[in-house]
Amino acid sequence: MSSTPFSTLHVTTASAPDGPRSGRNPLRVEATRPARAAGERALVLGGGGSAGNAWLIGVVAGLCDAGLDVIDADLVIGTSAGSTAAAQLTRASPGRLLADILSVPESGRRSRPAGPDPGRVPVRPAADHLHRTNEIIAAAEGPADMRRRIGAAAIELDAASDGSWQGQWRATVAARLPSQDWPPSRMLITAVDAQTGQPVVFDRHSGVDLADAVAASCASGPAFRIGERSYVDGGYRRSSENADLAAGYGRVLVLSPLGGRTRHPLEWGMQLAVQVGELRAGGSRVETVVPDGRSLDALGDNLMDPSTRPPAARAGYDQGLAQGALLTGFWR
């Protein structure tokens, strides 16, 4: 697997007036702060493109068949492809979602990206996107500067398009969600405000439709607009996992398709290992699940390739099934 991972979502707290609607401008970005612990267990679903989404579903399905239902967490945090998985897994059974992935006939699988998929919808080739964002990261003075630059570039891409991408991407995301309603349980979906570079967190109290929140979290090309604000991939907040949002929870389980890797300079402290250390220092018990050798082979070098979804899901399932017994004592 490539040593240069795709990045994913970001976080801040948003408040809104009455009810959801993407046509309004309901959000007011506040300073980033972790969610106040309202329970004991938190599940973190990291980003990783179309293949990572399938792997996450496979792992959760395998854990479930091993007798461990991690979706009963008090808090679920989703970033980029992980936000899609969070919205799917909290509203449909892992087994059904896994079966849907595995049911795609061979003739329906493509050997290269051809349109939007669960993690993101690249409007340019993945290699071009990586090259462009790598240059931005290299030129940035720090995380805040990087987020502002990424946001500005995404707004430019949106302005240069014919505008049809917005509706198409939202429709694609909405079609993949088992329900258009936020789950009653606590779920956080991360993004970054493209205009300010501020991290954003959406939840069911934000006045934003679930499909809009997920579409914003997965926006890795043009910025995705909700009302008067524009948003980009939540992975630029701090990491592809954003596990720090689980601060205060007693047990935190992190599923990371990217294995905790980062494209950001290590001195920025944006890697998963730093967040895990902070959580443990704060009293949380933390376990992470990253792709094993077979899963890495299944995920492949292009995480946006739809043909990788069935093998990634199968490998994730086997990994979850094998690790269920090891995690049972920790989770329960």
Side-chain angles (χ1 to χ4, degrees), residues 197-264:
Q198 287 291 321
V200 175
V201 172
F202 299 113
D203 64 15
R204 60 193 173 98
H205 302 296
S206 296
V208 171
D209 289 347
L210 178 60
D212 285 318
V214 174
S217 185
C218 298
S220 63
F224 180 75
R225 285 178 264 121
I226 304 177
E228 297 177 7
R229 308 307 300 175
S230 296
Y231 301 90
V232 293
D233 194 311
Y236 295 113
R237 170 195 177 257
R238 183 168 182 186
S239 75
S240 294
E241 300 82 18
N242 292 309
D244 56 307
L245 289 176
Y249 282 74
R251 287 166 286 172
V252 182
L253 177 61
V254 183
L255 308 186
S256 174
L258 295 178
R261 294 171 300 156
T262 181
R263 290 191 290 151
H264 306 114

Side-chain angles (χ1 to χ4, degrees), residues 120-124 129 132 150-151 153-158 165 169 218-224 231-233 236:
R120 345 162 154 228
V121 53
V123 293
R124 297 185 176 186
H129 170 73
R132 181 168 50 85
I150 290 286
I155 290 173
E156 286 184 9
L157 280 178
D158 179 32
W165 177 84
W169 178 220
C218 298
S220 63
F224 180 75
Y231 301 90
V232 293
D233 194 311
Y236 295 113

Side-chain angles (χ1 to χ4, degrees), residues 16 18 37 60 65 90 160 241 291:
D18 52 328
V60 173
D65 282 355
T90 53
E241 300 82 18

Side-chain angles (χ1 to χ4, degrees), residues 23-205:
R24 301 180 188 154
N25 177 29
L27 301 181
R28 181 170 55 90
V29 175
E30 303 171 5
T32 302
R33 53 187 171 86
R36 186 174 54 133
E40 173 64 17
R41 297 172 300 178
L43 174 66
V44 179
L45 302 176
S50 181
N53 170 271
W55 181 82
L56 288 168
I57 289 171
V59 170
V60 173
L63 290 172
C64 188
D65 282 355
L68 189 61
D69 180 11
V70 295
I71 297 301
D72 67 353
D74 301 297
L75 170 68
V76 177
I77 299 167
T79 291
S80 198
S83 73
T84 307
Q88 291 169 323
L89 288 163
T90 53
R91 303 301 281 184
S93 73
R96 189 194 109 189
L97 293 168
L98 176 63
D100 287 345
I101 295 172
L102 299 181
S103 68
V104 178
E106 289 291 335
S107 60
R109 299 176 193 167
R110 304 185 181 100
S111 60
R112 57 198 174 110
D117 244 84
R120 345 162 154 228
V121 53
V123 293
R124 297 185 176 186
D128 178 65
H129 170 73
L130 279 175
H131 176 73
R132 181 168 50 85
T133 53
N134 280 338
E135 287 188 337
I136 292 174
I137 292 169
E141 297 178 357
D145 184 42
M146 180 267 297
R147 289 192 296 265
R148 285 191 294 268
R149 290 171 181 253
I150 290 286
I155 290 173
E156 286 184 9
L157 280 178
D158 179 32
S161 70
D162 62 5
S164 63
W165 177 84
Q166 298 285 334
Q168 292 173 358
W169 178 220
R170 189 190 188 283
T172 297
V173 169
R176 290 196 172 96
L177 304 184
S179 171
Q180 300 299 302
D181 298 323
W182 286 85
S185 56
R186 183 147 173 72
M187 182 170 72
L188 302 180
I189 291 178
T190 64
V192 169
D193 187 309
Q195 282 118 320
T196 65
Q198 287 291 321
V200 175
V201 172
F202 299 113
D203 64 15
R204 60 193 173 98
H205 302 296

